Amino acid sequence: MDWTRFFSYLLGFFGIILPLVDMSGKENWESKIYQTYVVEDFETINLTSDHFRVRKYKEDPLPEVWMTSNITAPIPGSRRALLFRFSEDTNYPAEFIFPEPIEFSEFLKEMEFPIYSSKSGGSVSIILQTHDYENKKIFLSNLNFRGWRNVKLTIRERLNQNDPVLNSKLVIRFIGFIYEPQSSTPYGSEILVGFDDISVTTRKKYRLLPDPASLLE
């Protein structure tokens, strides 16, 4: 047998044909495993400045929170969005914590956020809480743009989501946002930061198979 010719044939087959098969089937394969859905659209939830956590003097004001219908993302059916307003007196680092966390028992691949900015500078991050209640700050976006922008955040490489025990269905919690202003803010400026329909892409976690004998039934 001509082994050189044989291996050349194999390399040609596996190096050219298989990638074409893999690439054509990847999108269809992922669409069957992952699902994308909205976890918060801000249409019915009521949020106020009381949900801010900040370090300040007792008499200092809090940033304003609006559930606004005047500034919404260009999303079909969107009627309300969450909007933060920071003035020169309230433009300091702040955490905004949801009254109830958004929980995921599935494997969280990515999150997508429509974000509004008045081009103020600064940045926003999210807070994810692991199954053992450790809070993780994950950078989301700079605010050096004006208007609405969709930001996708990949989670699977940033957070260990494996259950210590299979089938334990431990949850990941999305508990809120962190706003961090830029170092200097022009006098008299108004800073607006908004969020609309938050969506996630998830899949079911790996789980133990049932009794093998039941598979034969």
Side-chain angles (χ1 to χ4, degrees):
M1 177 181 289
D2 187 344
W3 290 103
T4 302
R5 186 176 179 182
F6 176 71
F7 283 119
S8 296
Y9 171 79
L10 288 181
L11 288 174
F13 180 80
F14 289 108
I16 298 175
I17 303 301
L18 288 184
L20 292 176
V21 174
D22 289 344
M23 290 176 65
S24 64
K26 181 179 179 182
E27 184 176 347
N28 184 51
W29 173 78
E30 288 198 345
S31 67
K32 293 181 180 179
I33 293 179
Y34 290 98
Q35 58 177 339
T36 300
Y37 53 94
V38 174
V39 292
E40 182 54 69
D41 58 12
F42 302 109
E43 299 294 333
T44 58
I45 191 172
N46 289 315
L47 302 169
T48 68
S49 294
D50 293 336
H51 298 112
F52 270 114
R53 288 198 317 209
V54 297
R55 293 181 179 179
K56 67 180 187 66
Y57 293 108
K58 185 176 181 180
E59 61 274 11
D60 287 347
L62 286 167
E64 297 178 24
V65 176
W66 298 343
M67 306 306 300
T68 179
S69 57
N70 296 322
I71 302 177
T72 59
I75 300 172
S78 177
R79 297 182 301 275
R80 269 203 336 172
L82 170 64
L83 191 70
F84 302 146
R85 178 184 179 273
F86 302 89
S87 66
E88 58 183 310
D89 296 325
T90 61
N91 191 29
Y92 35 70
E95 295 180 4
F96 187 84
I97 306 301
F98 294 126
E100 296 292 336
I102 301 173
E103 297 187 341
F104 307 100
S105 58
E106 305 91 353
F107 181 88
L108 186 56
K109 177 187 177 185
E110 64 185 19
M111 306 178 74
E112 184 170 358
F113 298 82
I115 303 175
Y116 181 86
S117 171
S118 58
K119 200 175 181 179
S120 60
S123 65
V124 287
S125 302
I126 65 170
I127 309 172
L128 292 183
Q129 190 177 77
T130 64
H131 58 78
D132 53 359
Y133 294 93
E134 180 182 3
N135 290 344
K136 298 282 189 178
K137 172 187 172 184
I138 301 178
F139 174 80
L140 181 57
S141 177
N142 290 313
L143 298 171
N144 54 358
F145 62 93
R146 188 180 302 278
W148 286 98
R149 174 179 293 180
N150 271 8
V151 177
K152 279 190 177 183
L153 183 62
T154 301
I155 303 298
R156 59 183 175 186
E157 288 90 7
R158 300 170 183 263
L159 203 65
N160 180 14
Q161 303 181 56
N162 294 321
D163 290 341
V165 179
L166 283 176
N167 292 0
S168 55
K169 297 182 180 179
L170 299 179
V171 299
I172 298 294
R173 301 172 185 86
F174 171 38
I175 66 174
F177 298 101
I178 297 176
Y179 165 74
E180 294 175 290
Q182 64 179 6
S183 56
S184 61
T185 304
Y187 179 78
S189 61
E190 177 188 62
I191 297 169
L192 300 177
V193 181
F195 300 92
D196 212 333
D197 295 14
I198 301 172
S199 62
V200 298
T201 300
T202 66
R203 65 162 170 79
K204 292 183 179 181
K205 289 186 178 180
Y206 299 123
R207 59 188 187 277
L208 292 174
L209 290 172
D211 183 357
S214 66
L215 300 178
L216 302 176
E217 295 178 358

